[in-house]
Amino acid sequence: MTINNMYFIANWKMYGNISSIKSINKVVGLTKLQKYSKAKIVYCPPFTILDSFEKKIKKTKISLGAQNCHFVNGYGPCTGYVSAKMLKDIGTKYVIIGHSENRNEGETNFKINLKINSALTSKLNVIFCIGETLKEKKKKKTFKVLSNQIKQGLKNIKIIKNFIIAYEPVWSIGTGIIPSYKELNKNINKIKKIIKPIKNSKKIKIIYGGSVKPSNVKDLSKIPGIDGFLVGGSSINSKKFIDIIKKTIN
Ligand code: PGA
């Protein structure tokens, strides 16, 4: 069976330090095997170790991503923040924007839109996170929420290659609970429907995130049109991350 490229994006969140970097040695080894050449592996460690991480993966097939950026590009009086341009300068290729943990702290669709614009201006590949909360799901508002997040987040954005939408139901993140096949399939189709009018929408990759583990990834990868996974907890442990890759591509 020929499969398309599959993304495996490791979101380390606020975990990891310099000594954690060597833990990816086995993942580097995996990328050398022809069998896994379709696995596009991106590591998004915390800002503090991005530069060291870049040095570690420089000559490998692994790409570097950041977990956020400020909406002001270049430089500015923005204490405590990092811009897309600064990320690009140190070799970062991807950036996660709109993660629910940041939305939860007040990041609006409007700001997310500015951040996406800024990231694309700096030629970073965007991993744009969307997803409904449990309350919204229970009120049957999923379609409306996803639609608003996409329409406002992508307002006036020109889609180019390697643009990724990560569908992450908020109730699934870090909880061990994943959507059923039926529900996930339905929501991925909803997303496809929402993005259809956008120019170049076929270039958008759709990945899933939320409690992805070696034990559930095989089922998750059966969803038609899924282009990969955004993995939090299970990406910090290289053995689990490798298992996830191996169970998807076999
Ligand atoms: P999780 O996190 O895999 O730990 O649920 C996913 C994410 O927040 O991106």
Side-chain angles (χ1 to χ4, degrees):
M1 185 176 79
T2 49
I3 65 158
N4 293 329
N5 284 336
M6 286 292 269
Y7 283 89
F8 298 91
I9 302 176
N11 175 11
W12 274 17
K13 307 193 180 191
M14 204 167 72
Y15 296 99
N17 52 30
I18 294 280
S19 63
S20 321
I21 300 175
K22 60 179 180 304
S23 75
I24 73 158
N25 283 347
K26 288 211 167 86
V27 182
V28 174
L30 185 92
T31 61
K32 292 180 184 151
L33 306 174
Q34 173 63 23
K35 185 171 182 196
Y36 300 106
S37 60
K38 300 267 182 184
K40 287 183 87 75
I41 300 171
V42 182
Y43 268 95
C44 305
F47 287 133
T48 47
I49 55 171
L50 270 176
D51 196 33
S52 311
F53 223 101
E54 205 278 326
K55 290 187 177 79
K56 170 86 179 171
I57 61 173
K58 211 182 184 85
K59 291 191 178 106
T60 75
K61 287 182 185 149
I62 296 174
S63 301
L64 186 67
Q67 297 172 18
N68 204 350
C69 67
H70 196 270
F71 60 83
V72 168
N73 207 0
Y75 305 96
C78 308
T79 305
Y81 290 94
V82 173
S83 71
K85 180 177 169 21
M86 293 162 107
L87 293 172
K88 182 73 183 177
D89 282 349
I90 62 152
T92 311
K93 298 217 166 57
Y94 291 79
V95 60
I96 296 173
I97 295 176
H99 193 283
S100 62
E101 285 152 13
N102 295 322
R103 290 181 186 263
N104 203 22
E105 290 197 9
E107 192 178 68
T108 59
N109 286 327
F110 178 72
K111 267 197 186 163
I112 288 167
N113 175 254
L114 295 177
K115 288 184 179 194
I116 293 176
N117 193 27
S118 164
L120 294 178
T121 305
S122 278
K123 301 205 166 16
L124 288 178
N125 299 310
V126 172
I127 303 154
F128 170 36
C129 298
I130 57 167
E132 79 287 359
T133 63
L134 188 59
K135 202 167 157 194
E136 289 160 346
K137 169 180 142 85
K138 282 188 173 158
K139 287 189 173 170
K140 303 207 180 320
K141 285 189 171 163
T142 301
F143 186 78
K144 196 161 179 261
V145 169
L146 297 180
S147 178
N148 278 343
Q149 289 176 340
I150 292 172
K151 284 183 187 152
Q152 291 176 35
L154 296 186
K155 196 170 174 197
N156 298 325
I157 297 292
K158 254 206 192 134
I159 297 298
I160 41 163
K161 69 176 171 74
N162 290 342
F163 194 97
I164 300 169
I165 290 183
Y167 171 54
E168 298 203 298
V170 181
W171 48 272
S172 191
I173 296 176
T175 59
I177 305 166
I178 57 161
S180 67
Y181 179 96
K182 199 172 152 210
E183 183 176 8
L184 185 53
N185 195 24
K186 192 171 91 187
N187 290 345
I188 298 279
N189 282 330
K190 276 179 189 168
I191 294 167
K192 286 193 179 153
K193 201 168 150 196
I194 299 163
I195 62 174
K196 206 167 178 190
I198 300 172
K199 198 174 166 209
N200 287 333
S201 67
K202 285 219 166 73
K203 290 190 176 163
I204 300 177
K205 307 281 178 207
I206 301 175
I207 65 172
Y208 168 80
S211 295
V212 176
K213 294 178 182 166
S215 58
N216 60 25
V217 75
K218 222 174 169 70
D219 287 337
L220 289 168
S221 58
K222 284 182 191 146
I223 304 284
I226 225 152
D227 296 304
F229 302 102
L230 179 53
V231 189
S234 298
S235 70
I236 296 155
N237 177 321
S238 284
K239 194 184 163 318
K240 283 191 186 165
F241 196 48
I242 288 174
D243 258 13
I244 287 173
I245 298 166
K246 284 187 170 170
K247 289 205 160 132
T248 310
I249 300 175
N250 61 14

